[in-house]
Amino acid sequence: MAIVFQRPKSLAEVNMHYCPGCTHGIIHRLIAETIDELEIEGKTVGIAPVGCSVRAYDYFNCDMVQAAHGRAPAVATGLKRARPDNIIFTYQGDGDLAAIGMAETVHAATRGENITVIFVNNAIYGMTGGQMAPTSLPGQVTQTSPYGRDVRAAGYPIRVCELLSTLDGVTLAQRVAVDCVKNVRIAKKAIKKAFENQVNGLGYSIVEVISSCPTNWGLAPNEALEWLRGNMLPYYPLGVYKDLSIDKSTDKSAEGGM
Amino acid sequence: MAEKVLMKGNEALAEAAICAGCRHFFGYPITPQTELAAYMAKVMPKIGGTYLQAESEIAAINMVLGASAAGVRAMTSSSSPGISLKSEGISYMAGSDLPGLIINVQRGGPGLGGIQPSQSDYWQATKATGHGDFQILVFAPSTIQEMIDLVFTAFDLGDKYRMPAMILLDGMLGQMMEPVVLPEKGKISLTEKPWAADGHGFKRQHNIINSLYLDPALLERTNIQRFERYAAIKETEQRCEEYCTEDADLVVVAFGASSRICRNAIVAARAQGIKAGILRPITLWPFPTDAILQLAQTAKAFLAVEMSMGQMVEDVKLAVNGAKPVRFYGRTGGIIPSPSEVLEQIKTIAGGM
Amino acid sequence: MRPDLNLLLAGFGGQGLLFGGKVVAYSGLIEGREISWLPSYGPEMRGGTANCSVCISDEPIGSPLVLTPNALIVMNLPSLDKFIDTVVPGGIVIIDSTMISKKVNRSDVSVFYVPATKLCEDNDLKGLANIVLIGKLFKSLAHCSEEALDKAIIKSVPASKKDLIDLNRRALKLGIDFE
């Protein structure tokens, strides 16, 4: 009988520690499928962040580096500059990428570092137990916004793809979700493109994945996905915010032909 | 012999690092180390290396971490306030057993402090370059030639022991020029780094560079093993230079710029019949405890001279272990002590022995 | 045997004091002696006061910071006021008298008033007053051979500005010949 579905080779055969209903597992799988399909496991180095996915280094079979909170883009820069032929990806949550690591994020993007950034936005700090994130929605109740995020005191959520798409160094900025099969397929395509861009030397690509956190949102997994669709997607519209992949590959082949 | 050239300390450090095989420099501008970065910016692009001006000191040290994780020789340089920012990354490097060279051209502190020479980051360098149980190698050159030599040593020992290494100098040594002989290019043998995260190529198990240990027993075991390595380093890597110590009643202990000033004072003291000598630590970690303890058998007193409120003096006291009195003289805030001030201290102490 | 030199050059930023110091340092290096060169640094680089310490000796240099010079070259009044009392008895003081009209009130040092800036203006050597004063230093101290000083000029001038070598030589001669 033909095998039609199995664990990607670059995804380690271990049980993940993620909570039931968490979408990290799906996103890990999409990355691993991409690594397999592009046949780059042997030259890929992933960077685990601080946050729920801190132990991502145990879940991929490629070489992995664990970075300090927010510093993954800087670590990625070092890895990539040292070994330009390797494929470097960071896997970061919203606190890591958009709060403590915002400077590293913006500057790696504006330098056009030829790296791939997978940004998991679930509007909350998961690992520390549900505190307000830079992407928590106005009015969202968290442990540290117990009366709902008051934008007069805590400011507004950051829309990362919109922000980064203003930078000349960015090649691809796309926001996707993994709440349903259709969106998972779109997410897979985006992640694959983000890796392909790097393989083709096209520069900085970021895929923002709108994700759920049933545990810290206090919702059952299916309710969490409903909440995501009803609250997060209106604030964080899905779509491609910037894509120079085609323009840049045309430029590149033109250069090559000269 | 190769021709002697005049070189600024900061530039000599940069050239030495390049000669030692470093092709990856990540930094952020700060006085008084900027010539080092400027030299790298000029040379690295011409030799296929990387000079990258990072968005912050924090980013710069994490870029060093990344490049070092990939298995290459990488470095950063800064001055005191910038080193504070790098301390996070240095701790992660130590916890991940990664080498990497950090240069601190010290200036007066705390806070923004000043920009004139200082040695007030001794504690930071030797005791607490970041959070957690760890040490880094710390070297304190006193001439520009020695800076060049110690860049090689720092890279070599850092690779050998898989730990960060710091060259601790100050604005005076960074800014001054002296004649130096540059090392011959292409005469280095780099250590194999089978642990590097440089792509497994399906030829080995995948490597993980990590400082996270959620199991306390495993973290304790890892720390104990690291400290066993530190113990071996303390046994074998202590370095110092002694001058006029054989018959010295008074031994001055000073490193870097202040050791040069003390040398003048020692010469003057000897001319006045005072039996003074100097022990100059070259490694600040490991501290040359053994040599000091040895001198404690023959000397009557010790005097630590520093450009700080008194930091290294504590390690001198620990080494002497109460056997002989240990005095301190220092200037701080960017003031360089004069040889005559030190001579006065020597005379006062000698008078009371 | 040549004398030890503990030279302090002081004046405004932009008067070429650091370059002048480098020429003197190279003159010692070329004769195989121990030398050091230490600039002041910081905001004063940008137009304020600047100074530079140069030591030449047959012994290893201890402190490169010259606190008690045996030779002082000054190119502005604030520097003369600041450093004149630090010169050791028997030392020499060389003053750009175009820039400083004040006279030194010490009898235990040899003072030379050289209108270096004016000499340069008269001889189309603008900006080389520093080198004129070094010519005078050489004439009064003979801290190195004339050949070493010439080589030092060649060493110090950047490779991209070779045409400046002859101008520097002429400025040096103006200082040596000035009585």
Side-chain angles (χ1 to χ4, degrees):
Chain A
M1 216 162 65
I3 297 169
V4 294
F5 190 81
Q6 63 181 340
R7 177 185 289 275
K9 285 207 299 291
S10 55
L11 200 61
E13 275 199 71
V14 292
N15 292 327
M16 293 181 186
H17 69 283
Y18 299 117
C19 302
C22 172
T23 47
H24 271 308
I26 299 171
I27 305 164
H28 281 23
R29 183 186 166 93
L30 298 182
I31 292 169
E33 283 179 0
T34 299
I35 291 173
D36 286 3
E37 288 164 19
L38 299 177
E39 298 179 338
I40 52 174
E41 185 195 319
K43 59 175 185 175
T44 295
V45 183
I47 300 168
V50 171
C52 279
S53 46
V54 65
R55 290 174 65 193
Y57 56 77
D58 280 333
Y59 302 148
F60 292 97
N61 281 331
C62 57
D63 281 356
M64 293 293 292
V65 177
Q66 201 285 315
H69 201 22
R71 316 298 174 221
V75 174
T77 299
L79 282 158
K80 189 69 180 181
R81 298 293 182 111
R83 309 273 181 210
D85 293 335
N86 282 352
I87 301 301
I88 312 296
F89 76 92
T90 73
Y91 189 100
Q92 301 174 260
D94 39 55
D96 190 273
L97 181 139
I100 196 168
M102 192 52 131
E104 286 78 3
T105 294
V106 168
H107 284 271
T110 201
R111 284 194 302 269
E113 292 294 338
N114 189 27
I115 59 171
T116 303
V117 175
I118 307 300
F119 167 39
V120 180
N121 178 3
N122 61 8
I124 205 151
Y125 282 77
M127 189 173 77
T128 45
Q131 293 80 26
M132 188 183 74
T135 53
S136 292
L137 297 175
Q140 188 180 336
V141 173
T142 71
Q143 195 187 68
T144 51
S145 55
Y147 312 111
R149 179 175 186 152
D150 177 355
V151 294
R152 289 170 306 176
Y156 292 89
I158 293 173
R159 293 186 180 97
V160 169
C161 276
E162 288 86 331
L163 186 86
L164 293 186
S165 63
T166 66
L167 300 174
D168 290 345
V170 173
T171 298
L172 173 70
Q174 183 171 353
R175 182 180 293 125
V176 299
V178 285
D179 62 311
C180 62
V181 174
K182 174 174 157 263
N183 279 342
V184 169
R185 285 177 190 275
I186 296 171
K188 168 67 186 297
K189 275 190 184 163
I191 289 171
K192 192 164 178 181
K193 187 188 255 183
F195 274 87
E196 280 170 339
N197 282 350
Q198 187 179 166
V199 171
N200 295 328
L202 302 186
Y204 182 92
S205 299
I206 180 169
V207 177
E208 174 177 349
V209 186
I210 300 297
S211 187
S212 66
C213 183
T215 301
N216 288 300
W217 291 357
L219 298 170
N222 57 341
E223 292 168 353
L225 295 176
E226 278 305 319
W227 191 87
L228 177 155
R229 285 188 281 267
N231 297 279
M232 287 191 73
L233 297 189
Y235 203 94
Y236 299 112
L238 303 183
V240 177
Y241 286 86
K242 187 172 186 187
D243 187 359
L244 301 181
S245 321
I246 293 167
D247 300 357
K248 285 199 176 175
S249 21
T250 319
D251 291 352
K252 258 202 145 21
S253 50
E255 273 169 35
M258 272 163 68
Chain B
M1 204 174 83
E3 194 199 358
K4 279 191 174 180
V5 290
L6 260 189
M7 261 189 132
K8 246 190 175 190
N10 285 335
E11 293 174 344
L13 286 164
E15 180 59 30
I18 289 165
C19 292
C22 176
R23 291 292 178 276
H24 294 85
F25 176 91
F26 307 94
Y28 187 88
I30 184 170
T31 304
Q33 66 81 49
T34 306
E35 293 87 355
L36 203 170
Y39 193 94
M40 289 297 195
K42 207 161 101 182
V43 178
M44 281 298 195
K46 291 185 178 166
I47 57 172
T50 294
Y51 163 83
L52 200 160
Q53 185 167 316
E55 58 271 28
S56 69
E57 305 286 6
I58 299 171
I61 189 70
N62 280 286
M63 290 170 188
V64 171
L65 184 151
S68 177
V72 302
R73 285 191 162 177
M75 71 179 287
T76 185
S77 68
S78 190
S79 177
S80 309
I83 300 294
S84 295
L85 285 171
K86 289 186 198 296
S87 65
E88 174 197 67
I90 297 171
S91 172
Y92 276 72
M93 287 170 73
S96 307
D97 296 314
L98 287 175
L101 178 61
I102 302 123
I103 288 170
N104 181 0
V105 187
Q106 294 169 96
R107 53 190 260 184
L112 200 48
I115 57 168
Q116 298 304 320
S118 171
Q119 296 181 324
S120 54
D121 301 344
Y122 178 90
W123 279 337
Q124 183 193 47
T126 60
K127 320 280 185 206
T129 346
H131 62 281
D133 274 327
F134 77 94
Q135 296 284 353
I136 61 170
L137 298 160
V138 185
F139 300 92
S142 71
T143 65
I144 296 176
Q145 186 67 56
E146 191 177 34
M147 278 182 212
I148 292 173
D149 300 342
L150 286 178
V151 164
F152 281 75
T153 310
F155 272 123
D156 289 347
L157 294 187
D159 283 350
K160 179 179 175 187
Y161 295 112
R162 291 187 60 183
M163 62 194 288
M166 178 180 280
I167 295 184
L168 188 70
L169 58 152
D170 59 77
M172 185 173 105
L173 292 171
Q175 294 291 327
M176 71 184 282
M177 284 204 287
E178 277 183 328
V180 294
V181 178
L182 286 169
E184 285 178 53
K185 288 216 166 77
K187 275 200 158 180
I188 41 159
S189 59
L190 296 176
T191 320
E192 290 282 311
K193 294 177 178 172
W195 46 261
D198 55 353
H200 60 57
F202 299 100
K203 290 182 187 125
R204 54 163 171 78
Q205 287 289 306
H206 69 283
N207 284 333
I208 298 173
I209 307 281
N210 177 35
S211 64
L212 178 70
Y213 297 87
L214 289 171
D215 172 6
L218 184 56
L219 180 53
E220 184 185 53
R221 195 155 73 238
T222 306
N223 283 341
I224 289 172
Q225 282 168 356
R226 201 171 283 130
F227 271 70
E228 284 166 1
R229 200 173 351 135
Y230 294 163
I233 294 168
K234 283 185 186 175
E235 286 282 314
T236 53
E237 305 293 353
Q238 292 179 26
R239 292 169 195 217
C240 64
E241 183 190 45
E242 294 180 37
Y243 174 69
C244 293
T245 50
E246 298 83 9
D247 63 341
D249 293 329
L250 175 61
V251 173
V252 174
V253 185
F255 66 94
S258 43
S259 72
R260 300 177 64 118
I261 289 140
C262 291
R263 201 184 157 103
N264 288 31
I266 299 291
V267 172
R270 287 268 164 184
Q272 296 181 22
I274 300 169
K275 286 185 179 174
I278 179 169
L279 181 143
R280 177 176 73 84
I282 296 170
T283 51
L284 299 182
W285 195 91
F287 193 69
T289 307
D290 298 350
I292 291 176
L293 188 59
Q294 187 69 35
L295 287 177
Q297 319 247 327
T298 51
K300 292 178 182 159
F302 289 82
L303 169 66
V305 178
E306 302 173 62
M307 281 144 63
S308 74
M309 291 300 291
Q311 301 190 6
M312 178 196 66
V313 62
E314 295 190 353
D315 283 337
V316 178
K317 284 181 180 169
L318 282 171
V320 172
N321 202 15
K324 298 288 159 62
V326 178
R327 309 269 182 244
F328 170 73
Y329 181 72
R331 297 298 300 268
T332 183
I335 304 283
I336 299 169
S338 70
S340 56
E341 282 168 60
V342 178
L343 178 62
E344 280 311 306
Q345 295 292 319
I346 291 172
K347 281 159 76 175
T348 308
I349 297 168
M353 281 189 308
Chain C
M1 209 173 115
R2 306 234 176 244
D4 279 7
L5 178 67
N6 289 312
L7 169 68
L8 188 65
L9 304 100
F12 289 122
Q15 285 180 316
L17 295 155
L18 304 190
F19 179 82
K22 200 168 163 181
V23 171
V24 176
Y26 259 119
S27 71
L29 173 62
I30 285 159
E31 297 198 325
R33 303 179 72 196
E34 303 284 344
I35 64 125
S36 68
W37 173 97
L38 177 72
S40 62
Y41 62 87
E44 65 264 38
M45 282 162 67
R46 287 136 199 127
T49 58
N51 68 72
C52 174
S53 297
V54 178
C55 300
I56 302 180
S57 175
D58 294 318
E59 298 297 319
I61 313 281
S63 173
L65 181 66
V66 174
L67 296 169
T68 51
N70 63 6
L72 173 68
I73 293 177
V74 276
M75 296 184 71
N76 70 2
L77 184 60
S79 300
L80 178 67
D81 289 341
K82 186 172 176 187
F83 296 116
I84 186 63
D85 292 334
T86 65
V87 180
V88 297
I92 67 162
V93 179
I94 300 170
I95 292 173
D96 184 340
S97 55
T98 316
M99 305 299 294
I100 307 168
S101 51
K102 192 173 175 177
K103 300 292 173 208
V104 171
N105 192 17
R106 269 183 73 171
S107 54
D108 60 342
V109 293
S110 312
V111 186
F112 301 95
Y113 300 93
V114 183
T117 300
K118 172 113 197 349
L119 283 173
C120 286
E121 277 166 11
D122 295 347
N123 288 278
D124 273 341
L125 293 170
K126 217 169 170 209
L128 291 174
N130 55 339
I131 302 299
V132 174
L133 298 172
I134 283 162
K136 188 70 196 173
L137 174 82
F138 164 76
K139 181 70 183 298
S140 1
L141 268 191
H143 68 278
C144 66
S145 68
E146 195 158 359
E147 191 196 348
L149 194 57
D150 188 63
K151 279 188 183 162
I153 292 275
I154 296 167
K155 274 270 183 197
S156 304
V157 173
S160 58
K161 296 180 181 169
K162 286 280 178 237
D163 49 326
L164 293 180
I165 291 174
D166 274 334
L167 300 180
N168 276 277
R169 282 177 171 147
R170 281 173 50 207
L172 206 57
K173 191 158 182 337
L174 279 179
I176 293 169
D177 293 346
F178 182 82
E179 292 300 333

